[in-house]
Amino acid sequence: MAGPQTKDYYGTLGVKKTATQEEIRKAFRKLARKYHPDVNPGDKKAEEKFKEISEANDVVSDEKKRKIYDQLGFYSDNIDPAAAEAYARAGASGGGRGRTSAGAGGEGVPFDFSGFDFSGFTPEGTRTSQSEGAGFGSSFRDIFGGMFNREGGGRQPRGPQPGTDLEYQVEIDFWTAIRGGVTRLEIQRQSPCPTCKGTGAVGKPMECPECHGTGQVQQTGGRMKFNIQCPRCGGSGKVQNSCPTCDGAGLVTRVEPLEFRIKPGTRDGQRIRLAGKGNAGTEGAPAGDLYLIIRVGHNKIFRRVADDIHITIPVTAMEAALGARIEVPTIDGESPHGGRAQLKIPPGTQTGQKLRMREKGVPSATREGQRGDQIVEIKIVVPKVQDERSKEILRELQRLNPEDPRADIFKDL
């Protein structure tokens, strides 16, 4: 006999069966960020994976649903918790024959029907002359088919569901990342439905016409009777009309403006978390978080490496040979394009040599009061000599300094 399909919800979320609610919540949010349809537009596999982890989270994040799942190895909204408890106690006491349902963690829960004779009963409860075992299969399928299948219309209460996280990439310019500022963008997120206030239902609750307000209906098969959760009201005994605005989801999708502050020293690729700015939860459950991935633009003069600023500065051959004090651009100052600072060029400076300007770099976004350095790379510019007087001076300089700069290259050849 084919029983209810078993699913390893713990394996789907990548957690142990003994995981705490906090561990389950973190695991779900991590996977939801990875497989959310907004992050993977058009990816059917990611969409299916998101549905699987959402289903798993729906069960194991709810203590009552999780208890039923742990007891039986599967879950349905129509299972009576008292019946599940009875099955679990029967399995713990040992004895009994019948099918064992493999559940999460591989622990089977035996269903003991050894005291009943199903061989001559049909789903209608009339005795027949069928061969042994035939009536059992028919009756058993009928009982549990009704137990695990939903019937009837109306909104199915699911309880509060926490909102999922969102992730957006935000491009900012070089100077905003250095000095900080306010950035604005528009995000698409799920918000509580304005019509039903996130409940998914409208109008006053009415007595369920199927269970007459008891929250349970009776399922009969042969000599066995089961009280199962009413499939129409979900066990509440009350029904409401689904909200026409959100179709009972409790949420609507909106495009909303968002304004947030960029701290001075924010780095390219940095991840900023805005708590509660993700998709809204249902029925008062907390909203998810919004994660912003910062992408910083480039600058023509400055190049940033972590909290250090790198710049290449041209100097004349005379400044490099004799030494000098020159002005170099920095990121400081009131000007939108930075300021200036004095830099000493030591005599004999070579092209490619790097000079460090202490604490002239970027303010650290994580270590208050600390700054990086500015690294200045020297590039010697050779003059274009055209007049004879300058050429004569250079020839005289060459005679006075006959060193061969290529001597070391040929020394070991």
Side-chain angles (χ1 to χ4, degrees), residues 293-372:
I293 310 300
I294 304 300
R295 297 301 177 198
V296 180
H298 298 289
N299 185 274
K300 293 181 179 179
I301 299 175
F302 302 106
R303 181 169 60 90
R304 181 177 176 181
V305 179
D307 288 336
D308 291 337
I309 291 293
H310 290 245
I311 185 173
T312 299
I313 293 295
V315 298
T316 66
M318 288 67 74
E319 289 173 329
L322 300 175
R325 279 192 173 274
I326 64 171
E327 280 191 338
V328 297
T330 68
I331 61 172
D332 293 329
E334 298 298 327
S335 168
H337 305 293
R340 301 182 180 188
Q342 290 282 321
L343 174 65
K344 181 180 179 181
I345 306 296
T349 295
Q350 302 298 314
T351 191
Q353 187 170 336
K354 294 179 180 179
L355 305 177
R356 184 180 296 271
M357 301 176 72
R358 299 286 181 184
E359 296 188 349
K360 289 293 183 180
V362 183
S364 174
T366 57
R367 295 170 296 174
E368 190 173 354
Q370 297 191 30
R371 291 186 65 171

